[in-house]
Amino acid sequence: MIGLIDTHAHIDGDSFDEDRHDMIQRAFDNGLEAIIIPAIESKNYDKIIHLCDNYPQIYCGMGIHPHNVANATDLDIELVKQYADHKKVIAIGEIGLDYYYDFAPKEIQKEMFRKQLILAKQLDLPVIIHNRESDKDLLSILKEEQDGTLNGVLHCFSSDLDTLYQALDINMHISFTGNITYKKSTLSDIVKAVPLDRIMVETDSPFMTPVPHRGKRNEPSFVKYIAEKIAEIHDLQFEQVCTMTSNTAKKLFRLSMLIVLFSAITGFSQSIYAQISDDSTEYEEEIIPQNPYSRTFGIGIFVATNTAIEQLTFEQRTNSRSTRSYDGNAALGFSLGYTIIDPIMIEAGYLYTRNNKPIELGYSTLPNTYEIFNISMRAIANPRSKVAFFAIGGLSYISNTILGEIRNVIGFNAGAGFMVQIPTDYGIFVPTAEWRLDFEGKEFRTGKEDIDRKFKGWGPVTINSFYSLPKLTIFWYPKF
Ligand SMILES: [Zn+2]
Ligand SMILES: [Zn+2]
């Protein structure tokens, strides 16, 4: 665990719609401790909050980016304020000035920047600041608003030394992104001039991709390249940079308590929360797939071995209980799976087993057959993970031919297993291994004598059966 924090990643953006979950998983597999998503426009606020609800290690800033302030009003500031109420909103941002693109008149940019700074102070939240070719105006507004209560970071810092020193003077933090790794970068002197307790790292995904991935889409798992570059410039160990920048981020955004809190909550309860919380019901399923199986049918075929265990009671003998088992009977079947809410899947299945043992053993001319229809619920502990574990339980309808007599009985089933997710162009393939037990709900009284040689002459028998089924299913969740 290297514990890096990507303090600025726009992973709510469309370019991640196809593979957002995998990309996030990659980041945490690469040892990231947290990701902060700064909002840039109200259109995506819900989507961002939804991500925060679904991943314990994702936090966000709320704000209006200077690119999007042209038509903003006080109502938009009010909206930022409302969203900032959410416990995982840890900053106001991304806000600032951008005179390079000039998407909005400078006066409006300045006004909205200032209003959002005031809001941040009111809410006691730090700010995430964007600045492009607007050093002078940005610094003067920050200085005017700095009354000792303003905290924040100048993200993707690319200005000169003089701007850096002025920003440091008014208590600002500095974060660096992929451009410090570029061959032609002149930012080394700047990086070197920032005190170690004021530096943070970020990717600014999907932009600013660091070397060696330059030219590709950026993503949070690449944040390590920025930390490596800072380590090189400051002549430190990589691990030291990870620890220091993360500590700085935790302090500025007051993450420590939150990280402890949200890491303690397992993915399981998080998913349940996402399902039952009022806010999340209004989000469109299409925007962010809640889990890979969500709202689609999976079709599965399986092979199993069916061990039928019979408990026998002989009416005409005292102390006449006995057990026999027929093991290793091949079983075949199919299943349908449907995810109703994130961690709960409904599964319906059919299984067929033919048991030739009575013929082989020479005490019957007919095989025993077992057909089991089941409808079960699967509770999945970590539905979004590559390998997910589950428990299963439900009802069975069991139709048997035993000793030539047909009988149908209701039973129940219980089991446990794990599933592996393999995404392909044709949908998701999910090899699933599970062990299931099916119990008959009622014993079966046969009028005939048992024909097993061992019990010949013992008279009529009552049989109560259950079935042990280790099974291997391949589910296919087609892409629609
Ligand atoms: Zn920015
Ligand atoms: Zn940004």
Side-chain angles (χ1 to χ4, degrees):
M1 177 83 173
I2 53 172
L4 274 169
I5 296 178
D6 184 352
T7 59
H8 197 111
H10 298 288
I11 54 172
D12 53 312
D14 297 348
S15 60
F16 295 108
D17 281 355
E18 290 287 307
D19 65 340
R20 186 172 285 105
H21 172 71
D22 291 342
M23 172 274 298
I24 291 171
Q25 199 55 51
R26 216 159 29 239
F28 296 124
D29 289 347
N30 271 279
L32 263 72
E33 194 173 358
I35 299 171
I36 297 171
I37 308 174
I40 57 173
E41 57 183 329
S42 57
K43 168 165 106 28
N44 271 23
Y45 292 170
D46 282 342
K47 196 172 174 182
I48 293 170
I49 291 289
H50 195 43
L51 281 168
C52 289
D53 280 341
N54 278 289
Y55 295 92
Q57 315 93 318
I58 292 182
Y59 301 86
C60 70
M62 278 294 147
I64 313 162
H65 192 281
H67 286 169
N68 303 312
V69 294
N71 300 308
T73 65
D74 286 349
L75 283 176
D76 296 286
I77 303 274
E78 188 53 39
L79 192 67
V80 172
K81 188 179 175 182
Q82 280 171 22
Y83 273 89
D85 229 16
H86 191 283
K87 58 192 177 311
K88 293 190 91 180
V89 176
I90 44 84
I92 294 299
E94 175 170 1
I95 60 175
L97 303 175
D98 192 317
Y99 294 171
Y100 178 80
Y101 282 112
D102 227 358
F103 284 144
K106 288 180 186 175
E107 283 316 308
I108 297 180
Q109 287 196 36
K110 286 198 268 186
E111 183 195 335
M112 294 313 277
F113 178 43
R114 192 188 294 274
K115 281 183 171 166
Q116 293 185 89
L117 289 174
I118 292 167
L119 176 67
K121 288 191 284 183
Q122 208 183 81
L123 299 177
D124 193 23
L125 287 172
V127 286
I128 299 170
I129 299 167
H130 173 100
N131 167 29
R132 192 150 183 206
E133 307 210 339
S134 50
D135 296 346
K136 204 167 149 278
D137 284 357
L138 190 104
L139 282 171
S140 79
I141 293 175
L142 282 177
K143 281 177 189 167
E144 282 165 31
E145 292 304 328
Q146 183 51 283
D147 53 6
T149 63
L150 185 64
N151 292 303
V153 54
L154 299 191
H155 106 91
C156 188
F157 193 89
S158 312
S159 304
D160 58 12
L161 267 179
D162 179 51
T163 306
L164 174 71
Y165 289 133
Q166 291 190 57
L168 290 171
D169 271 352
I170 49 169
N171 208 21
M172 288 295 123
H173 292 70
I174 305 297
S175 79
F176 291 107
T177 178
N179 58 354
I180 66 167
T181 67
Y182 299 166
K183 250 209 186 98
K184 287 186 180 152
S185 168
T186 51
L187 288 165
S188 292
D189 293 343
I190 307 284
V191 174
K192 203 162 181 107
V194 185
L196 292 169
D197 63 347
R198 296 276 196 100
I199 301 187
M200 296 190 296
V201 289
E202 61 166 295
T203 56
D204 204 8
S205 300
F207 318 107
M208 291 285 174
T209 313
V211 174
H213 295 294
R214 200 174 175 184
K216 283 195 272 181
R217 182 191 69 175
N218 200 1
E219 62 172 56
S221 64
F222 297 162
V223 76
K224 61 176 181 229
Y225 299 111
I226 293 118
E228 276 169 7
K229 188 72 190 181
I230 292 174
E232 184 194 311
I233 294 170
H234 273 273
D235 199 15
L236 291 166
Q237 297 287 317
F238 171 67
E239 291 75 16
Q240 287 176 293
V241 173
C242 296
T243 312
M244 284 183 327
T245 56
S246 293
N247 285 344
T248 305
K250 285 181 200 171
K251 226 162 107 188
L252 176 65
F253 298 113
R254 296 182 208 132
L255 293 182
S256 299
M257 277 308 290
L258 290 173
I259 285 179
V260 172
L261 180 70
F262 287 109
S263 312
I265 302 170
T266 64
F268 183 54
S269 53
Q270 273 292 299
S271 335
I272 287 182
Y273 171 77
Q275 286 301 331
I276 58 173
S277 86
D278 284 341
D279 332 28
S280 72
T281 51
E282 49 190 83
Y283 304 132
E284 294 286 339
E285 209 63 51
E286 302 80 63
I287 298 180
I288 307 157
Q290 292 238 329
N291 91 24
Y293 319 111
S294 184
R295 304 287 156 89
T296 71
F297 277 99
I299 307 155
I301 52 169
F302 65 79
V303 290
T305 66
N306 183 357
T307 298
I309 297 137
E310 295 181 347
Q311 289 171 305
L312 310 164
T313 312
F314 297 90
E315 285 176 15
Q316 294 169 7
R317 295 178 69 100
T318 48
N319 301 326
S320 62
R321 285 173 179 278
S322 188
T323 301
R324 69 181 163 202
S325 72
Y326 301 105
D327 46 322
N329 298 301
L332 289 170
F334 60 87
S335 297
L336 285 174
Y338 183 72
T339 298
I340 39 170
I341 64 165
D342 205 14
I344 305 285
M345 186 186 285
I346 285 200
E347 193 200 305
Y350 168 77
L351 168 143
Y352 176 81
T353 312
R354 186 186 161 105
N355 175 8
N356 284 324
K357 296 280 160 57
I359 305 175
E360 286 164 24
L361 294 169
Y363 57 80
S364 177
T365 54
L366 293 168
N368 287 355
T369 59
Y370 316 107
E371 288 176 273
I372 305 177
F373 301 85
N374 77 291
I375 177 130
S376 313
M377 298 270 236
R378 254 198 226 185
I380 308 166
N382 48 342
R384 293 187 198 82
S385 306
K386 267 244 130 37
V387 179
F389 296 87
F390 62 84
I392 188 165
L395 291 176
S396 303
Y397 178 79
I398 303 171
S399 179
N400 294 339
T401 309
I402 297 176
L403 308 175
E405 284 181 72
I406 298 167
R407 81 181 225 100
N408 302 315
V409 65
I410 301 282
F412 59 96
N413 58 70
F418 66 94
M419 50 213 249
V420 182
Q421 201 196 107
I422 305 171
T424 71
D425 288 349
Y426 309 101
I428 307 168
F429 286 89
V430 189
T432 302
E434 95 191 63
W435 185 46
R436 204 177 83 193
L437 292 169
D438 272 89
F439 302 89
E440 295 191 352
K442 218 174 133 216
E443 54 189 21
F444 162 45
R445 185 183 178 281
T446 157
K448 292 185 195 169
E449 282 219 339
D450 192 84
I451 43 182
D452 189 338
R453 280 194 207 105
K454 193 178 161 193
F455 305 114
K456 206 106 186 120
W458 288 30
V461 61
T462 308
I463 302 175
N464 197 344
S465 303
F466 71 96
Y467 307 90
S468 163
L469 295 159
K471 62 190 259 221
L472 202 63
T473 314
I474 302 253
F475 274 102
W476 172 46
Y477 286 80
K479 219 179 215 167
F480 293 112

